[in-house]
Structures are given as structure tokens and as C-alpha cells.
Amino acid sequence: MQKMRVSRFWVLLLVSCFFCKSKGAIVPALIMFGDSIVDVGNNNNLLSIVKSNFPPYGRDFTNQTPTGRFCNGKLAVDFAAEYLGFSSYPPAFLSREARNEDFLIGANFASASSGYYDATSVPFGAISLTRQLSYYRMYQNRVRGMIGRERARTMFSKSIHILSAGSSDFLQNYYVNPLLNILNTPEQFSDILMRSYSEFIQNLYELGARRIGVISLPPMGCLPAAITLFGAGNKSCVERLNNDAIMFNTKLETTTQTLMKRHSGLKLVAFNAYQPLMDIITNPYDNGFFETKRACCGTGTIETSFLCNSLSLGTCSNATGYMFWDGFHPTEAVYELLAGQLLSQGISLIS
């Protein structure tokens, strides 16, 4: 785990210069949109088939509590909140426990199984990005009512907005939907997603957001469930899925640069999550891991959401050395490492 400890040290050192000028958090708030990579429990009370508010999810989180995070513990955005000086995490917008004042440090609108393509969320009962944006407008009105219009405007413009989407669009829609994959090549489908991404950023900008980070696709072909579903019996990463992720990420970076030039005062960063995760896969022991193919939960090949439960046979007793917690999602240990990598890429968002 030496590399992970060093990474965290440098991240904390990197942001410490900002703390010397201010008390508390570096930015006013953190606001999250997207899918299960950043979802902290919005699906809990929905009629959704994609949930994680039950054991063994959350077994390494505070008080061993399952919160709706698709992980054994903290997500990358939780670690990022800590690194940025927050003493608590922005609550799920649909949380029944959160109080009004809890939302003054931000809000999380993400919903597992949502994507850039709104239709992706429908079969799973998830909250589409369009609906998440609608909730964000409601949230803005709530904040204005608490602190006033001018303070709220400053808060929204200086807060960091995080977007994570795309994996569900491919893995839970495009690859299994003949109506999409027969009519569109992966490149053409990516172009459709880029239009949705551009529209989403445009809408956020019009609502006053000026600091936005978007998380790239991971090596999709190396997710245990992807290997099981699309690997044709092989146990190695599915190369064509990884190639699609690389292609998508290239388009994401190009589109991001175009949006930056188009919108005055916009700080927009495309976080490269692909390479740090691939580095773990290709050099697991150097990064403190020993298992990168099999997930911790159950058989480690497919289990996610309700299939990953307290009765799942074979669940590992200690997830620290595992890269994946369930069939689609990393462990807390990976998220800790990833948070440091992404924060170092996004210094422009806090400077």
C-alpha cells in the first residue's frame, strides 16, 4: 500500500497551501450528478431495481452502515470532500434524514444506472440526468431561500460540480440493446452521448455553475461483470470494450475543450479515471492490491445491487486488497487512490 499512502500524502500537501488562507473547506460546496460511481443513496426510496442500502454494502463505512453507496465504504467523492476540508459529505437530494442546513455544503443528485442518454435510466427506475437537473433547480431555490439570492449566486459559481456518467449507457444499454447497437457504431453512439453532455454542461452554465469536473469512462472491459457478460468465456479484460472507453474518453476531452472555449469564465476538467484504474490492473502489487479480476462480493463475477447481499456465498472477509467490491464497482481502497489522482488533475477547479 506504499504507493497509495504516498499519493494521499502528496494530495494533502498539494491542497494545504489553500487551507493556510482560509478556514474550513476550500470551496463553498460540492454538487454531484450522474451514476452509481457518485450516488450516495438517491435510489434508496425509489421503485428502482438498482439499490445498495443493505449489507454487505457499507460494511466498512462509518458505523458499518449501508447508505446506498455502491461500495464497501467511501466513494472517491467522499475522499475528495475530506481532502477539500469538508467535515461531512453532501447528502443525497432525496434523503429523508437530511436537514435544510445540511444542503449548504452541497447536494448529491446522482442515481445508479443513469447515463447521458436519458432512456438508459428508464428500465432501472433511476433518475435521468434531465430529472437530476430539474432537482438541481429546486435545490437552488431552496438555497436562495436560506441564504439570499446574492450569496447563493456566489456559492453556485464557486462550488465544484462533479459529473460521472457513460458506463451505464454502454454496459446496461448499448451493448445489450439491438435497437441501438445495430443502428449505431460505438463511435456514433458516443457522438449521441457527447451531444447530451454538451447540453448538460450548457444548462449547468446557464444556472450559474462555473467549476465543473466530468469523470471519464473506466476500463469497462475489465469490470468483473463485463468480463462475465461480454468476455465469451475468457477471464481477461474485454479489449473491444476498453477500446470503446478510450474512444469515448478522447471525444470527451475534445468536447470539454470546445465547451471551455465557448463559455466565458467556465473551468471544466475532464478527469482521466481510465489510466489510474488501468495502472492498478496492470501493476496491482505496486498499488497495494492482489486481486483485480474477481470482486469481493459473492462469486465476484456478476453480483451487484440485490444480487450482492448478506446471503451471497463467497464474499471476502477483507476487501482491502481487492480492486472491485462488486461486479461493477471499485472498493474503498481504490476510490481512495482514485480520489487523489483526480484531485491532482483538477487543481484548476479550486485555484
Side-chain angles (χ1 to χ4, degrees), residues 218-326:
M220 295 188 298
C222 297
L223 305 181
I227 293 174
T228 300
L229 294 171
F230 306 110
N234 296 318
K235 299 301 181 182
S236 56
C237 296
V238 185
E239 187 175 358
R240 68 180 177 90
L241 270 62
N242 282 351
N243 288 339
D244 287 346
I246 292 171
M247 175 270 299
F248 175 92
N249 291 341
T250 300
K251 290 179 181 290
L252 185 70
E253 178 61 38
T254 301
T255 304
T256 295
Q257 294 303 318
T258 300
L259 289 167
M260 280 262 285
K261 295 174 183 176
R262 188 182 300 165
H263 297 94
S264 175
L266 175 63
K267 295 181 177 181
L268 181 60
V269 174
F271 293 120
N272 181 356
Y274 185 100
Q275 197 52 52
L277 294 174
M278 184 55 77
D279 184 52
I280 296 174
I281 292 166
T282 55
N283 303 288
Y285 295 104
D286 291 346
N287 287 281
F289 300 91
F290 61 81
E291 179 58 75
T292 61
K293 293 288 192 295
R294 177 183 178 274
C296 172
C297 192
T299 63
T301 58
I302 192 73
E303 291 90 342
T304 303
S305 187
F306 290 107
L307 294 179
C308 174
N309 58 68
S310 57
L311 299 179
S312 298
L313 297 177
T315 299
C316 72
S317 58
N318 186 344
T320 305
Y322 281 72
M323 180 171 184
F324 296 101
W325 165 248
D326 66 15

Side-chain angles (χ1 to χ4, degrees), residues 12 21 24 66 92 133 135 142 146 149 228 237 266 290 299 338:
L12 295 175
K21 298 179 182 179
L133 198 65
Y135 285 155
R142 184 187 300 184
M146 286 189 282
R149 183 170 295 273
T228 300
C237 296
L266 175 63
F290 61 81
T299 63
L338 185 62

Side-chain angles (χ1 to χ4, degrees), residues 49 73 134 136 192 278 348:
I49 61 173
S134 176
Y136 180 54
I192 293 172
M278 184 55 77
S348 64

Side-chain angles (χ1 to χ4, degrees), residues 196-211:
S196 296
Y197 166 57
S198 297
E199 182 179 351
F200 187 82
I201 298 301
Q202 172 70 35
N203 286 326
L204 274 186
Y205 183 84
E206 291 174 356
L207 290 169
R210 293 296 182 270
R211 304 180 181 196

Side-chain angles (χ1 to χ4, degrees), residues 41-338:
N42 280 307
N43 281 17
N44 291 359
N45 300 308
L46 300 180
L47 291 175
S48 172
I49 61 173
V50 185
K51 299 186 181 186
S52 59
N53 57 334
F54 46 83
Y57 287 102
R59 72 180 192 187
D60 298 313
F61 195 71
T62 306
N63 298 323
Q64 293 76 52
T65 304
T67 60
R69 289 166 170 81
F70 284 77
C71 187
N72 59 305
K74 300 174 187 175
L75 305 178
V77 290
D78 296 321
F79 285 110
E82 293 175 4
Y83 296 159
L84 293 173
F86 290 94
S87 57
S88 58
Y89 311 125
F93 182 69
L94 298 183
S95 169
R96 294 177 178 175
E97 292 77 34
R99 301 163 299 176
N100 268 353
E101 56 266 31
D102 296 332
F103 289 103
L104 291 177
I105 64 163
N108 190 308
F109 302 92
S111 174
S113 291
S114 67
Y116 290 112
Y117 197 67
D118 272 0
T120 295
S121 64
V122 174
F124 305 98
I127 308 166
S128 68
L129 273 186
T130 298
R131 177 61 63 87
Q132 291 180 36
L133 198 65
S134 176
Y135 285 155
Y136 180 54
R137 293 187 179 97
M138 294 169 58
Y139 166 74
Q140 287 192 321
N141 287 332
R142 184 187 300 184
V143 171
R144 290 187 191 104
M146 286 189 282
I147 65 175
R149 183 170 295 273
E150 188 57 32
R151 285 183 62 196
R153 185 194 65 79
T154 301
M155 171 180 161
F156 299 138
S157 67
K158 293 187 176 181
S159 296
I160 295 179
H161 298 67
I162 300 294
L163 169 62
S164 169
S167 293
S168 296
D169 291 312
F170 279 97
L171 296 170
Q172 296 170 234
N173 195 355
Y174 177 77
Y175 291 136
V176 296
N177 185 348
L179 293 177
L180 284 177
N181 59 44
I182 291 177
L183 296 175
N184 300 278
T185 65
E187 289 83 359
Q188 291 171 328
F189 185 61
S190 293
D191 288 336
I192 293 172
L193 301 185
M194 284 304 106
R195 289 194 287 272
S196 296
Y197 166 57
S198 297
E199 182 179 351
F200 187 82
I201 298 301
Q202 172 70 35
N203 286 326
L204 274 186
Y205 183 84
E206 291 174 356
L207 290 169
R210 293 296 182 270
R211 304 180 181 196
I212 308 170
V214 56
I215 301 174
S216 75
L217 289 185
M220 295 188 298
C222 297
L223 305 181
I227 293 174
T228 300
L229 294 171
F230 306 110
N234 296 318
K235 299 301 181 182
S236 56
C237 296
V238 185
E239 187 175 358
R240 68 180 177 90
L241 270 62
N242 282 351
N243 288 339
D244 287 346
I246 292 171
M247 175 270 299
F248 175 92
N249 291 341
T250 300
K251 290 179 181 290
L252 185 70
E253 178 61 38
T254 301
T255 304
T256 295
Q257 294 303 318
T258 300
L259 289 167
M260 280 262 285
K261 295 174 183 176
R262 188 182 300 165
H263 297 94
S264 175
L266 175 63
K267 295 181 177 181
L268 181 60
V269 174
F271 293 120
N272 181 356
Y274 185 100
Q275 197 52 52
L277 294 174
M278 184 55 77
D279 184 52
I280 296 174
I281 292 166
T282 55
N283 303 288
Y285 295 104
D286 291 346
N287 287 281
F289 300 91
F290 61 81
E291 179 58 75
T292 61
K293 293 288 192 295
R294 177 183 178 274
C296 172
C297 192
T299 63
T301 58
I302 192 73
E303 291 90 342
T304 303
S305 187
F306 290 107
L307 294 179
C308 174
N309 58 68
S310 57
L311 299 179
S312 298
L313 297 177
T315 299
C316 72
S317 58
N318 186 344
T320 305
Y322 281 72
M323 180 171 184
F324 296 101
W325 165 248
D326 66 15
F328 288 95
H329 305 99
T331 57
E332 178 185 77
V334 170
Y335 277 134
E336 182 176 10
L337 182 59
L338 185 62

